[in-house]
Structure formats: C-alpha cells, structure tokens
C-alpha cells in the first residue's frame, strides 16, 4: 500500500512522510486526533468532527495552521488523491518538535498530518451479529473529553478483551460505565428508554453519540443522559456502541452474559438505520 498522505502543507507518498523524533506528539503524547468516516467518497458528520477538533486543540493550546475552509479542502483532497470510496480519514495535530522539556515551547510549529484508511464501513458483519464486551476498570486520565493520542489504556483494555475472546471492552469507574474503549456506550432499559452517560470530562464527547441522541429524540424515543452501572448494563434489554466508523453496533454479551435475548435489539437497529438515512446519506 502506498497512500498519498498530507504532512504540514505537502502531499507525498506515505513512505516519504517523516516527523522528527523530538516531536512532542512522539515524546509526550502532546497531540490531538480526529477520525472522520468516508462513505461514497464523502465525509460523514464532518461538521461535528471539525468542531470537536477545534475544541480539543483549544483545551491544550495547540493552534491549527489551517483555517476551517482549508481543513475541509484538505479532507476532500485526500479522499480524491487516494480514490477513497469507503473508510476513514485520520488527522493528527501535535504541538510540534522541541528539545525535551515538560513546559511547552514558546513558539511551537504544530505538526499536522492526515492519512486515509480504506475500510468496509457499510458492510460490517457486526451490525447483524452484534459484539461481545468484557468490563474492565477505566484507568485513563481525567480529561477524556480531549481527544488526545494517549491511547495506551484503551489498547490494553482491547488486548484484555481479546484474551477473553471478547470483541471489545466497556470501561467502568466507581461502579458506573464510562464508555467503550474507542466508542460511546449506550443501553436500552425494559421501558425502551435509551440511557447514555451525560457529557463531562469523564468521557469523549462522541460525535456519533450526539447524532444518535438527536435522531432518537426526533423519533420519539425517550432518552436519559446519566451514568448507568455495570449491573444495569447487564440487566438491560439492549446495549450498543456508537462511533464514527461503526455507527451503531449492538452489544449482545457483557462479561459472557447475554444482553436481553442475546440478539441485536430493535432500538439499536432503528437508530443505526436512522443514522444511515440522516447522516450517512447527507455526507458532504
Ligand atoms: N469514546 C472514545 C473513547 C473514543 O475513542 C471514540 C472514538 O474514537 C468515541 C467515544 C466515539 O466518538 P465518535 O462518535 O466521535 O467517533
């Protein structure tokens, strides 16, 4: 594979893209990222991802070298240069290279890179089968609302899940589910109410989560934004995850126990369908 990637204003084959070993993204994890799904060569829920990128970099004081229009143009251009039909765009912006010092450098020159990954987004077999998760303690830092590249904790949780023959892990803290390793966690109770944790610094503010909650409310599904316990999740009628490249995927087993009847449930399926109709179909 030799993709065309974007690095600091230039386009080049992926094997020619070089970043300094002094880059603070590499040394301190001092970098922010975004992932936008591409379907039919178009960007899904782009406005949300662009807004969250600005929020994340603003929280850590990194300034994006491109304005909003140019950033969108680069997203479109990378799709075109790689003839990407379905998959994702990964964007990363670090504070840039500086001699190793915990203090931020005075005039940092951020490193901005984008690459594409081709992936079957629409034909994911997990929509029909659902996935299994285990629950593991959430050991991540306290600003999970900032989308930093510090992803060792979720990687460890996914490896733990793999060891237990599960597809993924849901993270818990003080007995309550925070989110999934790389997606937002949702449950549906016996009354058909969709329950998802409210926004705070404890979770990433999922863009797909936001859309799914909007679509649920528009469809007349009752929504509660509040923490839910591990026990509540296991006793739920349905559970599912949401993320940019997975939309809404049913969770059919938690810690080996079936959720509801152990099959994908109607609320999750309906929301996935609504997401396809109202977000994927309107991709830009
Ligand atoms: N929560 C975490 C920890 C994530 O890493 C992600 C996506 O990467 C999400 C939630 C879902 O966010 P989004 O829907 O914006 O992809």
């Amino acid at each position: 594979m030799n993709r065309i990637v974007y690095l600091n204003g230039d386009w080049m084959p992926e094997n020619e893209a070089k970043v300094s070993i002094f880059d603070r993204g590499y040394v301190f994890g001092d970098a922010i990222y975004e992932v936008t799904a591409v379907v039919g060569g178009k960007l899904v829920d782009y406005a949300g991802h662009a807004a969250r990128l600005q929020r994340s970099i603003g929280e850590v004081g990194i300034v994006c070298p491109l304005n909003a229009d140019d950033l969108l143009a680069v997203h479109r251009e990378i799709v075109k240069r790689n003839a990407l039909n379905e998959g994702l765009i990964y964007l990363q912006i670090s504070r840039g290279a500086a001699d190793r010092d915990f203090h931020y450098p005075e005039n940092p020159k951020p490193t901005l890179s984008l690459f594409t990954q081709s992936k079957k987004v629409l034909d994911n077999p997990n929509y029909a089968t659902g996935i299994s998760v285990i629950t593991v303690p959430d050991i991540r830092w306290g600003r999970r609302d900032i989308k930093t590249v510090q992803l060792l904790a979720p990687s460890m949780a996914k490896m733990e899940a793999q060891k237990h023959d599960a597809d993924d892990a849901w993270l818990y803290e003080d007995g309550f589910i925070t989110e999934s390793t790389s997606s937002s966690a949702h449950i549906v109770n016996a009354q058909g109410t969709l329950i998802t944790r409210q926004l705070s610094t404890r979770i990433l503010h999922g863009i797909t989560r936001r859309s799914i909650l909007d679509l649920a409310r528009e469809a007349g599904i009752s929504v509660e934004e509040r923490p839910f316990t591990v026990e509540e999740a296991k006793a739920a009628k349905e559970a599912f995850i949401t993320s940019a490249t997975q939309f809404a995927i049913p969770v059919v087993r938690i810690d080996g126990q079936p959720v509801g009847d152990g099959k994908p449930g109607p609320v999750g399926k309906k929301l996935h369908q609504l997401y396809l109709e109202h977000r994927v179909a309107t991709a830009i």
Side-chain angles (χ1 to χ4, degrees), residues 141-200:
W141 77 323
R143 290 301 307 273
R144 301 160 192 160
D145 55 314
I146 302 173
K147 198 165 167 69
T148 77
V149 298
Q150 300 166 33
L151 297 176
L152 188 52
S155 281
M156 288 168 74
K158 280 189 195 277
M159 293 311 292
E160 191 64 22
Q162 197 175 66
K163 231 171 34 189
H164 289 84
D165 286 327
D167 299 302
D168 209 337
W170 276 20
L171 312 174
Y172 64 84
E173 189 173 57
D174 302 328
F176 293 93
I177 298 291
T178 51
E179 54 188 333
S180 188
T181 54
S182 57
S183 53
S184 310
H186 312 264
I187 59 170
V188 179
N189 70 10
Q191 291 73 43
T193 299
L194 169 58
I195 303 163
T196 192
R197 196 173 173 116
Q198 76 277 20
L199 297 185
S200 72

Side-chain angles (χ1 to χ4, degrees), residues 3-281:
R3 292 163 285 194
I4 299 298
V5 303
Y6 175 94
L7 178 61
N8 296 330
D10 294 320
W11 297 97
M12 61 198 79
E14 63 180 71
N15 54 3
E16 289 174 20
K18 304 274 190 295
V19 176
S20 164
I21 65 161
F22 297 104
D23 194 280
R24 287 180 59 92
Y26 183 62
V27 180
F28 288 103
D30 186 356
I32 299 297
Y33 77 108
E34 256 318 317
V35 173
T36 305
V38 174
V39 175
K42 294 187 169 169
L43 313 170
V44 181
D45 244 338
Y46 178 77
H49 291 285
R52 184 174 60 192
L53 174 68
Q54 290 305 326
R55 181 180 181 279
S56 290
I57 62 176
E59 289 296 310
V60 298
I62 295 176
V63 179
C64 183
L66 299 182
N67 67 26
D69 288 348
D70 290 342
L71 204 59
L72 173 58
V74 167
H75 276 79
R76 291 211 159 117
E77 183 68 18
I78 202 163
V79 168
K80 211 162 118 194
R81 286 188 187 242
N82 291 283
L84 180 66
N85 181 48
E86 211 173 298
L88 62 90
I89 297 171
Y90 177 92
L91 173 153
Q92 180 171 319
I93 178 163
S94 81
R95 201 178 303 277
D99 205 9
R100 188 176 183 277
D101 182 353
F102 283 78
H103 301 94
Y104 300 164
E106 281 207 358
N107 293 305
K109 193 174 160 291
T111 304
L112 175 62
S113 59
L114 285 87
F115 61 79
T116 54
Q117 260 179 18
S118 168
K119 178 180 170 179
K120 278 194 174 175
V121 177
L122 295 177
D123 274 352
N124 186 338
N126 290 338
Y127 297 129
T129 59
I131 60 164
S132 59
V133 301
I134 58 166
T135 57
V136 302
D138 194 340
I139 60 167
R140 297 173 302 163
W141 77 323
R143 290 301 307 273
R144 301 160 192 160
D145 55 314
I146 302 173
K147 198 165 167 69
T148 77
V149 298
Q150 300 166 33
L151 297 176
L152 188 52
S155 281
M156 288 168 74
K158 280 189 195 277
M159 293 311 292
E160 191 64 22
Q162 197 175 66
K163 231 171 34 189
H164 289 84
D165 286 327
D167 299 302
D168 209 337
W170 276 20
L171 312 174
Y172 64 84
E173 189 173 57
D174 302 328
F176 293 93
I177 298 291
T178 51
E179 54 188 333
S180 188
T181 54
S182 57
S183 53
S184 310
H186 312 264
I187 59 170
V188 179
N189 70 10
Q191 291 73 43
T193 299
L194 169 58
I195 303 163
T196 192
R197 196 173 173 116
Q198 76 277 20
L199 297 185
S200 72
T201 52
R202 314 315 293 170
I203 61 167
L204 183 74
H205 301 182
I207 301 307
T208 321
R209 171 193 178 280
R210 170 83 280 134
S211 284
I212 287 286
L213 294 191
D214 289 348
L215 293 166
R217 289 188 175 106
E218 283 163 25
I221 295 167
S222 85
V223 175
E224 279 178 25
E225 291 184 65
R226 63 163 175 83
F228 57 88
T229 63
V230 175
E231 289 70 36
E232 226 180 331
K234 288 181 181 171
K237 216 165 140 207
E238 285 181 45
F240 62 95
I241 55 164
T242 57
S243 81
T245 58
Q246 300 182 103
F247 310 153
I249 291 199
V251 171
V252 294
R253 293 184 92 79
I254 301 177
D255 288 337
Q257 288 173 225
V259 178
D261 62 4
K263 298 199 185 87
V267 177
K269 270 198 215 165
K270 177 170 180 172
L271 290 170
H272 179 68
Q273 193 54 37
L274 288 171
Y275 193 83
L276 290 175
E277 287 166 21
H278 296 275
R279 292 296 185 276
V280 179

